[in-house]
Every structure is written in C-alpha cells, then in structure tokens.
Amino acid sequence: MIPPLIELNRVYRTFEKDGEVLPVLQDINLQVHPAEILCLVGESGCGKTTTGKIIAGFLDPSQGQVLISGKPQSAYRRSERSKLRRSMQIVHQDPFASLNPAHTIEQILSFPLRRHHMVNGRNELRRKIWELLTLVDLTPPGDIVNKYPHQLSGGQRQRVSIARALTVNPQLIIADEAVSMVDVSIRIGILKMLHRLREEFNLAIVFITHDLALAKYFAWEGRLAVMYLGRIVEIGRTQDIIQNPAHPYTRALLSAVPEADPYVTKKKEPMKLRSDNIPSLNNIPSGCAFNPRCPFYMPGTCDTVVPALSNVSQFGQKVACEPLRLRGELRLYET
Amino acid sequence: MKPNKVVFSVRDLSISYSAERGRVKAVTNVSFDLHEGETLAFIGESGCGKSTLNLGLLRLLPRAGQIDKGSITYTYRNGRQVDIRALTDRQLKRFLWAECSMVFQGALNSLNPVLRVSDMVYDTARAHNLDRSEAKKRALELFEKVRLEGKRVFTAYPHELSGGMRQRVLLALSLLLKPQVIIMDEPTTAVDILTQRSILEVLKELRRELDFSVIFVSHDLAVAAEIADIVATMYAGEIVEMGPVADVFYRSRHAYTFSLLDAAPRLSAGDQELHSIPGSPPDLIEPPSGCKFHERCRFATDICVSTQPELIAETGRHFAACHHSDRVLATRKEVVQV
C-alpha cells in the first residue's frame, strides 16, 4: 500500500499571545493521500490555516508527529528533506500580498525554476514559463510574461500563484481560501482548473475554506474535515457529510448557510443554538468544546469527556460526539 | 406585490469618477423605485457599480466621484417629496440617520474605536436634537431586539465586542432615529457562517416588528435569495435585470443573471455542473459597444455588439435589458425545475 503523503499523528500546536498560551490545534489526526482532495472547513479561528501550514511544513507541531510518506522527517537526509518540502506548495488567499508587485510575471516564475535547478539554460526557462502559463489558462503567454501583478485581474493573479506553485513539480497543493477573494463568476473556472491539474499531475489538493457550498462543489468526490476550536469534529467523504451530517456543529453550519435559491433558502430551518457566543481560545470549554452552544447537550458527559472521532452506525463518516457514540442518536437538551 | 408607496424613486442616475485616463462611468442611467416595506437587493460582481450607486443615493461619494445627471426623489412619511440632489449640506446632515441610514461592510471601520457605544448614541442624538435619556432608552431597546445585552454593550468600546456583535450594534444604531430606509452594503460579507445566520435572523425579526425598507448590496446571491423581495442585477454600471426575487432567480431574462446563477454552488444541490463567466468585467472608461456584457456572453449575436438593449418590462415588475431574453429564459427553465 502506498503510504499517505502526509500524516499528522496527535498533533498539537500552541501559540503564545500576550503571555498566554493558546491551544490553536489539539489532537489532530489526519492523512493526506496521493492525488486526493481533502477539504478543511470551519469558521475563523478553528485552526484550518494552522493545520495547512503544518501539512506544508511551514510550522512544526508543538507536540505530536508529522510523517512524510510514512516516515518522520528526521528519518530523511537533509537534501531529501528540502526536496520533500518543495513537493508541498501553498497557494494563499490574497494574490496581491503573495506576488511581488515589483517583479514581472516572468521574473516571479523564473525565480523558483532557477533556484531549484528545474531548468537548464535560458531557452528551457522560457519554454517552461510558457508551458506553465498555458497550464493555468493564461494564454497567450506572450501577453502575460512582461506584465506586473497589478496589471492582471484578481483571477489572473491567482492563476499566476498556482503556476508558481507548479514550478517545482509538487505532489500536494494547499489552497488556503485560494478563491475567496476572486469574483463569484470566475471562481468556478479556477476550481475546474485545479481539478484538471490534479488529474494531469496526480496532485493531492488540500482545500481550505469557510465556504461550505464551495467545499461541497470542489470536494464532492473527495473528503471533508470539519473543524471547531482547534479540533476535527467530523471527517469523511464529502457526500456523506453534506447529505447526512452527524456532528451538531456540522448540522448547525449546514442549516445556517443561505442558498442561491429563494424557495430552498426560505424553507430552511436554521438550528437554534443555546448560545451565539464563540468561546475564545484562551477559555475553551471542557469536554466537547461545542457543549455550551449545543442543543443536544448531555450534562455530565459533554462537559467532561473530550469526544474522540469514532464510527457511529448510520453514518459513513467519523464523528466526535459522545451522545452519538453512546446512544446512536441526538436528543434535545431540555432545561 | 402590494402596491405600496414609493419611498425612493431614482431616474436616469449617472455617476462617474475622475481618473488619469478619463472619467470612469461607474453608474449609467439607473432608474428604480423602492417601495415602502420592501427589501431591494443589488447583486453583481465587484466593480459593477452597486456600492457607488448606494453611496450616490445619499451623496456620500468620495471626492473623485460626482453625480452627472438624474434625480433621486425621496418621499417622507407625511407624503412630502424632496430631491436629494437639491438638499443643502445642512439639510442632508439632518436627513441622514433620521430618514435614511447606512450599514457598511466591516463594522470595525464604522465604529469609532476610541468612543464607547454610548458616546456614539449620544453624538447622534445631539446632532439630531434628540433628548439624551430618550436616545439611551431607545438604544437599549434596540440592542435587546438585536439580541445583545443592552446594558453591557451600551458602555462597551468596539474592541470589546466580537465581529458579529459589532455588526448588530451598527444595525441597532442605524435604527436609532426610526429611519424609513436602511442601506446595507455587504453587511454579512466578512463574518462567519453562524454569525451571518444570527444577523440575518435579527434583520428578519426587525423587519417584521419595525417599519422600514431596505436597500441591500451584496455579491452573495444566496443572501439576496433569502432576504430580498426585489432583486436588481447590475453589470458595468447599469441595471440589466430587475424584478421579484423568484422571477429573477427562476425565470432569469438577462444572460448575465443567468450566468451568475450558473456559477453559484448550492449546498443542497448535490453534484453540480457549474460554469464560470469567461473574461473579466469591462473597462468603464471606454465601455464596450452595444450590450456591455456581449464579450463574455454565451448568448451574444451581432445585434448585441451593435445595439444597446433597453430595459423593458417582461411581466409585471420584471424588467430585463437583453436582446436574447427569450433564449435566456428558455435555457434557465431547462436548468431550474420548480
């Protein structure tokens, strides 16, 4: 069996802020397999970006292990390690911030190509740049190479970011809210392109987003992990989770999202939470972090036991919810 | 649709910005009516002119912007009418908040960080000759209505409140002087899903309990689908389609509305075949000939290049400016099964 590209084992990550230690990630167990689409969803502060950075090797875990192709980093030699790092690339949310405004597109793409000796000589460099721009549908490349980022539209800039990620032949691309700043009308084009690149190069894609409808569309054939306050609360096939959500938090999210269909969206019944307040990271509730807001709260259980991701009958996905694990169903909490 | 009184009546409004290369025609010949009690949503991509239009309605344009022509007629509760363009600065100051208020995107920018919420309430009260205690009483009532702890929020500084709370504070403050109209520019864009939900629910409750109309600007079709009575699609500074929300969504008559909906993922729709709109919005200094959307339009033919389509009534209050509105409608009906 091919080992996962990346495996996070009991990963914790803390950050220090104003002398306080914030547990940004707790007990994250996650595998990214070759050529798969894995989508991390959750609201701001849930740890999805930090998880992406740990997957990419930009951040080390405070505790726990990251395995690359089945082996810990320390098992690789130095030269191998930088090669492994290179095989994982991040595409950030804001292409204005991630592309140097003083460099032309040609310069932006040639830097990593030369730095990592991906090409020999000027002709090959030029050919490679044209090939990359064609891959991301920036055609004809001759119109693009001499432009600066500000001369391109938001969608075009994001395509340049993706072309840059492709310069080093990665196996995994982490797209962190990569189309959130792009206009609705052109998002789909970029997502379709990512799908195509994935098939063409056997790329795995970790897609990080707060937009559930977008996650559903992009990762329909892949997997979804829902995060809340630093933990994964539900993980499985996207179709299973979207069609039959298990965790109360996932149910709340899905029921809260308005839809671009007047009848459907007006008929939706948003789940009523017990509280609108999102606990802060320096004061995460004990037990299940969602318990103070959860309408299915089970006193004595949810506030004491930290639920582990487990299989529950009638659900294809794994879910971290004690009432579900114990009873197989959710009952409303009545005061 | 109930034939309510028209609160805002806009005719042939054009707004432009001065730029180095020439004038950017941000809004061109826009006409619409906002009826009492209705929510009118402007949808469209960034740069389509929807925010400019709404700033223009209240003469809040930045320095480089100017209203070139058109009229903005406002009808007071007592039936008296006024052209907003003819108001003096002093009259305008009194008009804002009391008759028409605005809620912008990014609540932190709209709340003064060094003032307590109470100071902002008192400032507004003073500017409009409202008694302090009366203002406080009303603010506390409104805070409760938007599901905030009134007393706590009243004395808080903006940084002590979460993003969702700030947005609800703004919503409450905008209602302080019982305006007839609230203009909201992307009020739920920068917030999380559950926060957005609570803002939408609060807004719907307020609409049921208090008497005001809403002009809503959003690039989010889903939010428009949920709260709007009337939807206006804008493209390149023009209203290209306008009508009751169900007409615009299910019986789209303009190719651009059609294409926007064809690019919008829906959570409950299963595996979807979606399509992007090719290209990007046009240059508004030298806009394209004919229909401004023709370069990106899958329905376009020669006439779209040569002749600008007029906004014509399809049925009742449903208007569209598209040479191929019948083809668009037929194609949309194939996609939508209602």
Side-chain angles (χ1 to χ4, degrees):
Chain A
M1 217 186 97
I2 311 167
L5 282 178
I6 289 282
E7 185 170 350
L8 271 51
N9 277 338
R10 314 214 64 166
V11 162
Y12 288 74
R13 173 74 208 197
T14 55
F15 286 107
E16 218 171 293
K17 194 188 163 201
D18 305 332
E20 265 184 308
V21 177
L22 300 179
V24 172
L25 289 183
Q26 297 191 66
D27 198 14
I28 300 291
N29 297 287
L30 197 63
Q31 300 182 332
V32 185
H33 300 282
E36 84 158 330
I37 291 181
L38 171 66
C39 195
L40 304 180
V41 297
E43 300 181 281
S44 48
C46 72
K48 52 192 193 299
T49 294
T50 307
T51 306
K53 284 182 178 166
I54 288 179
I55 292 173
F58 281 18
L59 273 180
D60 289 324
S62 311
Q63 247 185 76
Q65 207 177 24
V66 179
L67 301 181
I68 308 175
S69 297
K71 291 191 284 184
Q73 272 203 51
S74 53
Y76 292 96
R77 270 186 307 205
R78 217 183 187 171
S79 57
E80 286 174 322
R81 241 184 269 169
S82 73
K83 210 170 167 188
L84 288 168
R85 281 281 160 85
R86 225 184 293 151
S87 70
M88 291 154 217
Q89 293 291 319
I90 294 195
V91 175
H92 295 280
Q93 174 173 10
D94 182 359
F96 245 128
S98 60
L99 300 175
N100 188 330
H103 287 173
T104 63
I105 304 308
E106 182 169 17
Q107 287 169 318
I108 286 168
L109 294 179
S110 54
F111 181 73
L113 287 171
R114 286 211 294 247
R115 170 74 180 75
H116 297 296
H117 311 291
M118 307 303 292
V119 289
N120 286 315
R122 287 193 71 89
N123 287 338
E124 207 188 316
L125 176 70
R126 174 150 280 236
R127 209 179 55 234
K128 184 72 187 172
I129 288 173
W130 282 54
E131 185 192 309
L132 285 167
L133 289 173
T134 312
L135 269 176
V136 296
D137 301 324
L138 288 173
T139 49
D143 289 357
I144 304 285
V145 279
N146 292 322
K147 287 198 167 144
Y148 290 90
H150 75 267
Q151 294 171 300
L152 302 179
S153 70
Q156 288 175 319
R157 279 196 293 269
Q158 206 51 294
R159 286 171 190 271
V160 171
S161 300
I162 294 167
R164 182 174 61 180
L166 292 174
T167 54
V168 289
N169 301 326
Q171 288 181 283
L172 168 66
I173 284 188
I174 295 142
D176 188 357
E177 301 276 8
V179 295
S180 302
M181 288 181 68
V182 174
D183 256 319
V184 186
S185 70
I186 42 185
R187 274 180 192 174
I188 298 302
I190 294 179
L191 297 183
K192 281 186 173 178
M193 181 190 78
L194 282 172
H195 273 280
R196 198 193 73 225
L197 293 171
R198 176 186 148 252
E199 278 172 30
E200 214 165 306
F201 299 105
N202 232 16
L203 271 176
I205 299 176
V206 172
F207 189 77
I208 300 173
T209 183
H210 69 281
D211 184 333
L212 281 163
L214 210 61
K216 177 232 102 182
Y217 172 74
F218 186 71
W220 187 249
E221 302 293 339
R223 290 192 302 143
L224 198 65
V226 182
M227 299 185 68
Y228 183 70
L229 287 177
R231 290 177 190 268
I232 295 174
V233 297
E234 183 160 4
I235 184 166
R237 288 177 25 167
T238 305
Q239 302 182 24
D240 289 340
I241 295 178
I242 297 291
Q243 288 165 346
N244 193 18
H247 198 283
Y249 177 62
T250 316
R251 295 182 194 206
L253 286 180
L254 291 178
S255 74
V257 174
E259 302 209 33
D261 183 319
Y263 293 151
V264 172
T265 199
K266 280 170 190 163
K267 258 194 294 188
K268 278 185 104 161
E269 284 180 30
M271 195 167 104
K272 284 208 169 61
L273 299 179
R274 293 194 297 133
S275 156
D276 279 343
N277 295 330
I278 306 165
S280 65
L281 284 169
N282 58 15
N283 194 15
I284 295 182
S286 61
C288 171
F290 192 56
N291 87 70
R293 307 174 72 191
C294 184
F296 308 107
Y297 168 61
M298 229 166 100
T301 304
C302 298
D303 47 358
T304 55
V305 185
V306 176
L309 283 166
S310 45
N311 291 306
V312 176
S313 62
Q314 58 165 316
F315 296 107
Q317 66 271 31
K318 285 188 172 183
V319 54
C321 173
E322 278 299 289
L324 269 181
R325 193 180 68 83
L326 296 170
R327 298 169 166 169
E329 58 164 19
L330 296 172
R331 290 180 208 155
L332 279 178
Y333 169 69
E334 291 178 35
T335 33
Chain B
M1 211 43 67
K2 46 201 175 252
N4 275 350
K5 181 187 94 178
V6 174
V7 186
F8 255 114
S9 182
V10 174
R11 289 295 174 269
D12 296 318
L13 187 68
S14 293
I15 301 172
S16 63
Y17 292 103
S18 63
E20 264 175 51
R21 280 197 300 130
R23 292 208 76 80
V24 181
K25 301 172 192 78
V27 170
T28 310
N29 287 331
V30 161
S31 301
F32 69 88
D33 288 334
L34 173 71
H35 292 250
E36 199 172 24
E38 266 178 6
T39 297
L40 166 64
F42 286 97
I43 57 173
E45 293 170 86
S46 47
C48 72
K50 54 193 192 304
S51 293
T52 297
L53 172 61
N54 286 304
L55 290 172
L57 288 182
L58 301 183
R59 289 181 29 203
L60 296 172
L61 291 166
R63 221 167 245 269
Q66 110 186 13
I67 296 176
D68 297 320
K69 68 179 183 70
S71 64
I72 309 163
T73 312
Y74 177 83
T75 308
Y76 286 89
R77 282 203 172 89
N78 64 15
R80 191 166 66 87
Q81 294 196 325
V82 62
D83 186 347
I84 304 237
R85 291 188 65 190
L87 293 177
T88 64
D89 286 354
R90 252 186 91 184
Q91 287 171 325
L92 182 68
K93 237 178 211 165
R94 224 173 291 146
F95 177 83
L96 298 174
W97 289 79
E99 293 296 328
C100 188
S101 54
M102 273 196 101
V103 177
F104 295 98
Q105 174 181 6
L108 194 51
N109 303 337
S110 311
L111 293 171
N112 190 332
V114 298
L115 292 184
R116 290 178 194 270
V117 170
S118 55
D119 295 327
M120 289 179 251
V121 171
Y122 293 142
D123 274 359
T124 310
R126 192 166 49 239
H128 291 271
N129 305 322
L130 179 70
D131 180 59
R132 265 172 82 97
S133 60
E134 178 63 30
K136 179 174 178 182
K137 191 170 145 249
R138 175 132 178 98
L140 289 175
E141 270 171 30
L142 285 164
F143 289 149
E144 297 296 333
K145 274 201 186 358
V146 298
R147 299 192 209 153
L148 292 168
E149 286 170 60
K151 288 214 172 77
R152 204 198 115 201
V153 167
F154 194 68
T155 53
Y157 285 99
H159 74 265
E160 296 173 303
L161 306 170
S162 72
M165 291 165 86
R166 278 183 221 135
Q167 201 60 289
R168 280 180 280 160
V169 166
L170 273 187
L171 195 54
L173 289 180
S174 73
L175 289 161
L176 190 65
L177 301 178
K178 304 183 184 171
Q180 264 201 112
V181 181
I182 300 186
I183 296 182
M184 297 194 228
D185 197 339
E186 306 271 10
T188 65
T189 295
V191 302
D192 274 321
I193 300 168
L194 296 178
T195 310
Q196 177 188 53
R197 172 49 55 199
S198 73
I199 294 171
L200 291 177
E201 293 304 314
V202 158
L203 181 60
K204 284 196 264 182
E205 273 171 36
L206 290 171
R207 292 267 332 268
R208 275 193 297 270
E209 288 172 25
L210 307 170
D211 149 44
F212 62 96
S213 320
V214 178
I215 294 180
F216 190 87
V217 180
S218 183
H219 70 280
D220 189 338
L221 298 173
V223 176
E226 177 155 339
I227 67 161
D229 302 308
I230 305 287
V231 173
T233 314
M234 286 192 75
Y235 187 76
E238 293 169 351
I239 292 179
V240 295
E241 180 163 9
M242 180 163 52
V245 60
D247 283 335
V248 173
F249 273 75
Y250 299 124
R251 292 172 285 280
S252 320
R253 287 280 195 161
H254 195 284
Y256 179 62
T257 313
F258 174 93
S259 306
L260 274 181
L261 289 167
D262 200 29
R266 279 174 295 127
L267 202 51
S268 57
D271 196 10
Q272 274 179 291
E273 181 61 40
L274 297 174
H275 302 93
S276 258
I277 307 178
S280 39
D283 179 13
L284 292 180
I285 294 179
E286 287 171 69
S289 63
C291 171
K292 289 176 185 166
F293 186 56
H294 78 255
E295 290 164 338
R296 307 173 70 193
C297 181
R298 60 184 266 195
F299 297 93
T301 57
D302 290 347
I303 188 174
C304 307
V305 185
S306 61
T307 315
Q308 169 152 29
E310 275 176 54
L311 195 63
I312 50 172
E314 302 289 350
T315 51
R317 285 183 70 187
H318 189 188
F319 299 84
C322 181
H323 290 302
H324 300 295
S325 69
D326 289 338
R327 266 168 68 215
V328 171
L329 176 65
T331 321
R332 182 72 191 142
K333 278 187 169 164
E334 282 169 30
V335 184
V336 188
Q337 292 113 18
V338 192

